[in-house]
Amino acid sequence: MTKILVFTDLHMLPEGKRIIGLDPEQRLRPGLAHAARMHPDADRVILTGDLTHYGDDASYQRLRRVLADFPLPVSITIGNHDDRRTFIRHFPEESLDENGFVQRVIDFEDMRAVILDTNLGVERGHPDHAGGVLCEKRLAWLDQQLAAAADRPVVIFMHHPPHDTGFKGMDAIKLSNGEAFHDLIARHGNVRQIVAGHVHRTISGSHRGVPFAVFKSPLHQQPTPFEVEDTHTSVDEPGAYGILITTAQGLLVHTEDYDIAESARRAVDKA
Ligand SMILES: [Fe+2]
């Protein structure tokens, strides 16, 4: 049995800055504490990008400080809000693939995790900055990792969903070559689950027969109307993280709304 926790879209900011009035550190710390308390047996925590909001030094330093006393092993990839070079400078222990992308494989006893880097690598302010891609080099690397997994079940972790999720604005900035990605994984037939972030909402389903799950952010969430085109609208709803547990014949996917759990616990403690 393998248990993996997923935190996505942390959007860490420099001290004193907030998103819709919310402090990312104040929202993340209770989530990490909840995870450490409820799932001390987790094999790993994976952070699926948008670690910071501006990709700046101060925010990566702050995230490092927040993670410093966290007891579980953590693996990280980046999202569109991150800056690859700045991230690597602050997290030099994160392994990169041979082309310098923040991609790695982790083999557990009963599955292989493949962590992908979908960051476009363009300057902030570029019109395509929010979108994602897996370039030829990254797809070739993925091809090798899936071939090497053979018939071991594979779970892929990536920031940008490789298909539409139903939100008009977010669908415009999904992985731009999702069908090429799906062509590749279909050739191997061993990917059992895709886990993504980017959308800031709990979404699951399947695309071309492959199950996917998207989790909420600890911080701010996507408003529910599907037609919203402005991707910068956000709502203050409880933060969450995901939990994946392998079983003898499959995989369980849970989402933990830890903010609700914490407020319920405080109410019980008070009573
Ligand atoms: Fe995000």
mmCIF file of all heavy atoms in Angstrom, residues 9 11 50 81 159 198 200, ligand 1:
data_model
loop_
_atom_site.group_PDB
_atom_site.id
_atom_site.type_symbol
_atom_site.label_atom_id
_atom_site.label_comp_id
_atom_site.label_asym_id
_atom_site.label_seq_id
_atom_site.Cartn_x
_atom_site.Cartn_y
_atom_site.Cartn_z
ATOM 1 N N ASP A 9 -1.038 24.441 -5.768
ATOM 2 C CA ASP A 9 -1.385 25.873 -5.855
ATOM 3 C C ASP A 9 -1.302 26.587 -4.504
ATOM 4 O O ASP A 9 -2.283 27.129 -4.010
ATOM 5 C CB ASP A 9 -2.778 26.024 -6.502
ATOM 6 C CG ASP A 9 -2.766 25.516 -7.936
ATOM 7 O OD1 ASP A 9 -2.480 26.310 -8.835
ATOM 8 O OD2 ASP A 9 -2.988 24.301 -8.134
ATOM 9 N N HIS A 11 0.642 29.200 -3.914
ATOM 10 C CA HIS A 11 0.691 30.650 -4.217
ATOM 11 C C HIS A 11 1.330 31.459 -3.091
ATOM 12 O O HIS A 11 0.789 32.495 -2.670
ATOM 13 C CB HIS A 11 -0.704 31.183 -4.564
ATOM 14 C CG HIS A 11 -1.180 30.719 -5.904
ATOM 15 N ND1 HIS A 11 -1.068 31.486 -7.037
ATOM 16 C CD2 HIS A 11 -1.730 29.543 -6.301
ATOM 17 C CE1 HIS A 11 -1.551 30.814 -8.079
ATOM 18 N NE2 HIS A 11 -1.952 29.619 -7.656
ATOM 19 N N ASP A 50 2.582 25.979 -8.867
ATOM 20 C CA ASP A 50 2.138 27.272 -8.340
ATOM 21 C C ASP A 50 2.485 27.318 -6.849
ATOM 22 O O ASP A 50 1.652 27.620 -5.981
ATOM 23 C CB ASP A 50 0.656 27.556 -8.610
ATOM 24 C CG ASP A 50 0.418 28.032 -10.049
ATOM 25 O OD1 ASP A 50 1.388 28.043 -10.839
ATOM 26 O OD2 ASP A 50 -0.720 28.382 -10.380
ATOM 27 N N HIS A 81 2.798 29.902 -12.410
ATOM 28 C CA HIS A 81 3.158 31.062 -11.591
ATOM 29 C C HIS A 81 4.612 30.990 -11.113
ATOM 30 O O HIS A 81 5.116 31.959 -10.559
ATOM 31 C CB HIS A 81 2.228 31.163 -10.379
ATOM 32 C CG HIS A 81 0.949 31.871 -10.680
ATOM 33 N ND1 HIS A 81 0.775 33.219 -10.485
ATOM 34 C CD2 HIS A 81 -0.224 31.413 -11.192
ATOM 35 C CE1 HIS A 81 -0.451 33.569 -10.841
ATOM 36 N NE2 HIS A 81 -1.088 32.481 -11.274
ATOM 37 N N HIS A 159 1.064 20.053 -13.185
ATOM 38 C CA HIS A 159 0.291 21.239 -12.801
ATOM 39 C C HIS A 159 -0.924 21.456 -13.705
ATOM 40 O O HIS A 159 -2.049 21.583 -13.229
ATOM 41 C CB HIS A 159 1.180 22.486 -12.811
ATOM 42 C CG HIS A 159 0.436 23.699 -12.362
ATOM 43 N ND1 HIS A 159 0.066 23.897 -11.045
ATOM 44 C CD2 HIS A 159 -0.080 24.752 -13.055
ATOM 45 C CE1 HIS A 159 -0.621 25.019 -10.946
ATOM 46 N NE2 HIS A 159 -0.725 25.561 -12.142
ATOM 47 N N HIS A 198 -3.865 23.705 -10.798
ATOM 48 C CA HIS A 198 -4.105 24.816 -11.723
ATOM 49 C C HIS A 198 -5.509 25.410 -11.623
ATOM 50 O O HIS A 198 -5.674 26.611 -11.731
ATOM 51 C CB HIS A 198 -3.841 24.336 -13.156
ATOM 52 C CG HIS A 198 -3.726 25.410 -14.188
ATOM 53 N ND1 HIS A 198 -2.966 26.546 -14.017
ATOM 54 C CD2 HIS A 198 -4.263 25.512 -15.450
ATOM 55 C CE1 HIS A 198 -3.043 27.284 -15.118
ATOM 56 N NE2 HIS A 198 -3.833 26.694 -15.995
ATOM 57 N N HIS A 200 -7.857 25.107 -9.092
ATOM 58 C CA HIS A 200 -8.291 25.513 -7.750
ATOM 59 C C HIS A 200 -9.743 25.072 -7.478
ATOM 60 O O HIS A 200 -10.572 25.849 -7.012
ATOM 61 C CB HIS A 200 -8.179 27.030 -7.545
ATOM 62 C CG HIS A 200 -6.786 27.573 -7.614
ATOM 63 N ND1 HIS A 200 -6.275 28.428 -6.673
ATOM 64 C CD2 HIS A 200 -5.790 27.395 -8.519
ATOM 65 C CE1 HIS A 200 -5.047 28.755 -6.996
ATOM 66 N NE2 HIS A 200 -4.721 28.141 -8.120
HETATM 67 FE FE FE B 1 -2.753 28.320 -9.224
#
